[in-house]
Amino acid sequence: MWSRAIFVLLCLTSSIAPAASFDCSKTKRKIEKRICADVAVSQLDDQAAQIYAKAFAGASLHHQQELIAERAKFRRERGRYDASASALADDYQRWLGYLAHPQRSRLGSYQGRDDAYVRLLSVQSATGAHLMAQGAGVRGEGGWVSAAPFTINGDTVEIALRRASFPNQPDCPVTLAFEGEHLRFNAQGSCAVEAISGVFRKTIPNLPIWVMPKGSVPPP
């Protein structure tokens, strides 16, 4: 009788126990204790860890290093401004959105010559996950943004750019072509952004020094 009651109790306990990706009984970090204190957040943490591991296993070396950097940033910033369960859940949902983005490996910043850069940002809408582009011209010739969200099928996409400081100017047609970790940016005709046409290389943001084996990441 007692053994059956204990068995049932153990089953009930295990069904509501947190499923965090770390051992809740051993953690001493405040943020991890808050994660363990909420079943839903704990399950999100475990889900994120599994999706991250799958994404990492299928990524190129360069993208693996980028994933490490993005994960370190997420872990550093989760609950930074609001450690409530709802806020933590929102932080995890954003992280999961990044991991699940169909163009995840192309999100981020690309550096060109001088001060020119291209940045591809994630955009979530009712119709799915899209991209937005923004950038700056050589030697401060002006910033721009893509006129509308876009998706990429294959390695090339045609988009329209708009000068951020001159929204009434005509949109500028541009071709973005992806070649491995490089982005070829070709402005059409005599656009105001023509000065930044060229090849841009994907950069890795804030890569923690402890995850950089010597020679593992080519310089940007």
Side-chain angles (χ1 to χ4, degrees), residues 57-123:
S60 65
L61 176 61
H62 191 282
H63 189 212
Q64 284 181 339
Q65 299 294 344
E66 184 179 25
L67 281 169
I68 291 172
E70 292 292 345
R71 180 173 180 267
K73 178 183 177 182
F74 161 71
R75 289 168 62 88
R76 183 173 62 251
E77 295 182 352
R78 62 182 173 179
R80 182 176 179 180
Y81 302 106
D82 186 345
S84 66
S86 60
L88 279 171
D90 288 342
D91 289 342
Y92 272 96
Q93 291 293 355
R94 282 189 288 270
W95 173 233
L96 286 167
Y98 168 79
L99 291 174
H101 198 287
Q103 299 293 330
R104 181 189 64 246
S105 63
R106 289 169 174 168
L107 294 170
S109 296
Y110 298 77
Q111 189 65 44
R113 59 190 176 90
D114 300 322
D115 296 327
Y117 69 84
V118 175
R119 186 176 295 122
L120 299 184
L121 307 173
S122 171
V123 177

Side-chain angles (χ1 to χ4, degrees), residues 130-206:
H130 307 287
L131 297 174
M132 290 289 287
Q134 63 177 206
V138 178
R139 299 184 185 87
E141 290 188 17
W144 48 265
V145 297
S146 50
F150 59 89
T151 57
I152 303 170
N153 295 314
D155 295 324
T156 305
V157 62
E158 304 287 336
I159 67 172
L161 295 184
R162 184 169 297 163
R163 289 295 293 270
S165 53
F166 300 98
N168 294 325
Q169 286 189 350
D171 293 342
C172 174
V174 170
T175 300
L176 302 181
F178 294 87
E179 303 169 357
E181 307 302 338
H182 294 82
L183 170 62
R184 187 175 297 277
F185 181 103
N186 293 313
Q188 309 295 319
S190 57
C191 298
V193 295
E194 187 175 15
I196 64 174
S197 289
V199 178
F200 294 73
R201 192 185 191 287
K202 185 78 173 289
T203 60
I204 300 176
N206 304 318

